[in-house]
Amino acid sequence: MNKKGLLVVYTGCSGVGKGTIMKEMLQKESSLRLSVSATTRDPRPGETHGKEYFFVSREEFKEMINNNKFLEYAQYADNFYGTPKDAVEEMLNQGLNVILEIEVQGGLQVLEKCPDCLSIFIVPPSMEELENRLRGRGTEPNDVIEKRMEAAKTEMTFTNRYDYVVMNDKVDTAVEEIISLIKKEQDKRNS
């Protein structure tokens, strides 16, 4: 029988590079699976329904909440985000390591419900660098960037609630550090 996979809560401020790190990790590690979240925000250019997110209406999202279909959910920057729990359980039962790339509020919910998960918080080298990255995306107007920066200041106060804090100064270094943490945690649990 397969050993159950490891649930990894992976979070950090908007614009810190979570998605970039994630793409690299998924290419390097065949045992990793990314949980696809549902969101009420509009797709960014190049995003596909079912791949980066399940893009749903506010009404659909609220129905999923009422039917207890989320492992966690949160409102962030005027949109809702949530992790559909059935798909996560299915992958864990197949022995796969499932990464929840989620907002900080959602991460805290999962830590309450799943205290045995591995939790990792990604931080920027500085708040100035975080703002540069958000502006460099060119995907959001100034008022949204300002909201994200305000949210980031609050989110950074929760780093002490996570098992590990990883700085994303260089993507390759962050990727290697996270993969190493996942392997270390798996070895510890399997011994």
Side-chain angles (χ1 to χ4, degrees):
M1 181 167 158
N2 280 350
K3 290 183 178 169
K4 192 164 182 171
L6 180 65
L7 180 63
V8 181
V9 173
Y10 170 79
T11 193
C13 310
S14 177
V16 78
K18 295 184 302 289
T20 302
I21 292 170
M22 181 62 62
K23 284 178 191 165
E24 293 289 321
M25 286 194 310
L26 292 172
Q27 287 176 354
K28 290 184 179 216
E29 282 299 312
S30 61
S31 71
L32 293 179
R33 294 295 183 275
L34 177 62
S35 169
V36 178
S37 296
T39 183
T40 58
R41 82 158 168 77
D42 292 332
R44 292 186 183 132
E47 289 183 330
T48 307
H49 177 77
K51 186 176 177 192
E52 288 82 11
Y53 286 98
F54 295 110
F55 296 99
V56 299
S57 69
R58 282 183 174 276
E59 293 74 26
E60 289 172 289
F61 200 97
K62 287 178 182 175
E63 187 175 315
M64 291 173 78
I65 292 170
N66 292 337
N67 291 321
N68 198 27
K69 295 290 185 184
F70 290 115
L71 183 57
E72 59 75 34
Y73 67 92
Q75 185 170 3
Y76 185 82
D78 300 326
N79 288 297
F80 288 96
Y81 296 82
T83 303
K85 65 181 175 183
D86 291 346
V88 170
E89 263 314 303
E90 188 177 312
M91 288 186 285
L92 289 172
N93 289 334
Q94 292 171 9
L96 298 166
N97 296 320
V98 180
I99 298 184
L100 305 183
E101 181 184 341
I102 55 180
E103 303 303 328
V104 175
Q105 294 174 57
L108 293 171
Q109 288 179 47
V110 177
L111 294 180
E112 298 267 325
K113 292 179 185 172
C114 308
D116 61 338
C117 70
L118 171 63
S119 59
I120 300 170
F121 195 109
I122 309 300
V123 297
S126 68
M127 293 306 278
E128 293 78 20
E129 177 61 22
L130 181 64
E131 186 171 352
N132 291 340
R133 290 176 185 181
L134 285 170
R135 292 192 185 286
R137 283 179 176 175
T139 58
E140 291 148 340
N142 277 340
D143 64 322
V144 173
I145 291 172
E146 288 168 17
K147 276 185 186 177
R148 289 188 185 274
M149 287 302 297
E150 282 304 309
K153 290 174 189 167
T154 302
E155 290 166 343
M156 293 289 281
T157 66
F158 293 105
T159 56
N160 65 335
R161 301 276 304 275
Y162 289 78
D163 297 326
Y164 298 97
V165 175
V166 175
M167 182 186 294
N168 182 18
D169 193 10
K170 293 185 175 140
V171 173
D172 291 345
T173 305
V175 167
E176 292 306 318
E177 186 175 348
I178 295 166
I179 288 172
S180 173
L181 292 171
I182 292 169
K183 287 180 178 178
K184 179 175 127 185
E185 189 67 23
Q186 266 192 308
D187 290 347
K188 191 164 59 172
R189 292 175 188 215
N190 292 336
S191 61

